[in-house]
Amino acid sequence: MISLIVAATENNAIGKDNKMLFHIKEDLLFFKNTTINKTIIMGRKTFESLPNVLPSRKHMVLTRDKEYKIDNSQVEIRHSLDEVLEEIKSSNEENFIIGGEEIYKQVLEKNLANKIYITRIYKTVEDADTFFPEIDEEKYKIIDKKILNKDAEVFVYENILK
Ligand SMILES: NC(=O)c1ccc[n+]([C@@H]2O[C@H](COP(=O)([O-])OP(=O)(O)OC[C@H]3O[C@@H](n4cnc5c(N)ncnc54)[C@H](OP(=O)(O)O)[C@@H]3O)[C@@H](O)[C@H]2O)c1
């Protein structure tokens, strides 16, 4: 099973200069609680933006660079998104695509995500350089929501076409 998890502003901004736009403690805790003990899949740029390897999660990092290596037993490198999706799509475990824009776009285009967890941050950032794609509401329906604080709310969408 494949889920996407993201925090985006009202205009779908997610990052700038390879950094997150916000560090909202309730959202960081939600991310941790949701992904703990699971596999997290990310693009090389998102991996490099992390302050460190996240505890108790297997990391799969996508890069086209065959020389790219990370010396950490929690981190596995993959060179093709199709290979990763093939590996995880039949697993009963929830596997999390954690970004960034390039990876979210490709996974949504292939219609392979079962769920989307989006933390909506009730702000607009005009000068962001990375964005989450518009959610296709014909395909994804809200099945749960949770207010994190006055500026942030989680919406869980399920893919009804899968
Ligand atoms: N708000 C949030 O929830 C959130 C979550 C995650 C990230 N972000 C933000 O998003 C930004 C990064 O996003 P991004 O779109 O620039 O980069 P990204 O998606 O994290 O990484 C892109 C890199 O992934 C590799 N890649 C992409 N598609 C691939 C494929 N099909 N096969 C193999 N490798 C592939 C390439 O690495 P190589 O160049 O090494 O080949 C590519 O340069 C940062 O600002 C980050 O903070 C925000």
Side-chain angles (χ1 to χ4, degrees):
M1 175 176 171
I2 301 168
S3 296
L4 266 63
I5 186 162
V6 63
T9 62
E10 286 175 310
N11 61 328
N12 285 320
I14 64 167
K16 182 172 172 13
D17 300 331
N18 211 29
K19 294 191 183 78
M20 300 276 289
L21 298 170
F22 302 98
H23 292 91
I24 297 172
K25 73 175 186 316
E26 294 87 348
D27 185 49
L28 295 174
L29 185 63
F30 175 77
F31 177 86
K32 178 181 169 197
N33 289 339
T34 309
T35 59
I36 201 87
N37 297 322
K38 303 285 194 325
T39 296
I40 52 175
I41 298 140
M42 70 209 84
R44 191 259 312 159
K45 292 182 186 170
T46 292
F47 176 70
E48 290 182 353
S49 78
L50 298 175
N52 32 47
V53 170
L54 303 177
S56 305
R57 275 151 281 193
K58 174 169 143 185
H59 297 46
M60 278 191 191
V61 178
L62 275 155
T63 174
R64 297 186 178 93
D65 177 358
K66 296 273 162 56
E67 309 296 316
Y68 193 78
K69 300 229 173 344
I70 298 292
D71 189 14
N72 184 306
S73 61
Q74 260 181 267
V75 182
E76 296 182 8
I77 308 297
R78 294 288 186 277
H79 300 108
S80 133
L81 180 63
D82 287 341
E83 175 194 326
V84 171
L85 296 173
E86 200 51 46
E87 251 177 276
I88 61 175
K89 79 173 183 209
S90 54
S91 104
N92 293 326
E93 276 278 298
E94 195 168 11
N95 297 278
F96 285 91
I97 308 284
I98 69 158
E101 174 182 314
E102 275 191 47
I103 305 296
Y104 291 136
K105 262 193 188 160
Q106 294 174 59
V107 173
L108 287 170
E109 274 163 15
K110 290 173 193 287
N111 192 29
L112 284 171
N114 301 84
K115 271 187 180 179
I116 302 172
Y117 297 75
I118 183 162
T119 300
R120 192 58 80 186
I121 299 160
Y122 293 119
K123 293 188 183 218
T124 299
V125 176
E126 297 298 351
D127 63 346
D129 60 15
T130 37
F131 294 84
F132 191 72
E134 200 64 51
I135 295 177
D136 180 351
E137 308 239 344
E138 295 291 309
K139 210 182 269 178
Y140 291 96
K141 297 290 172 210
I142 294 173
I143 54 164
D144 201 7
K145 42 187 172 172
K146 178 180 173 174
I147 293 172
L148 296 179
N149 69 23
K150 69 176 180 36
D151 293 324
E153 184 169 8
V154 176
F155 294 87
V156 184
Y157 287 82
E158 189 171 65
N159 188 336
I160 55 166
L161 302 185
K162 282 184 74 67

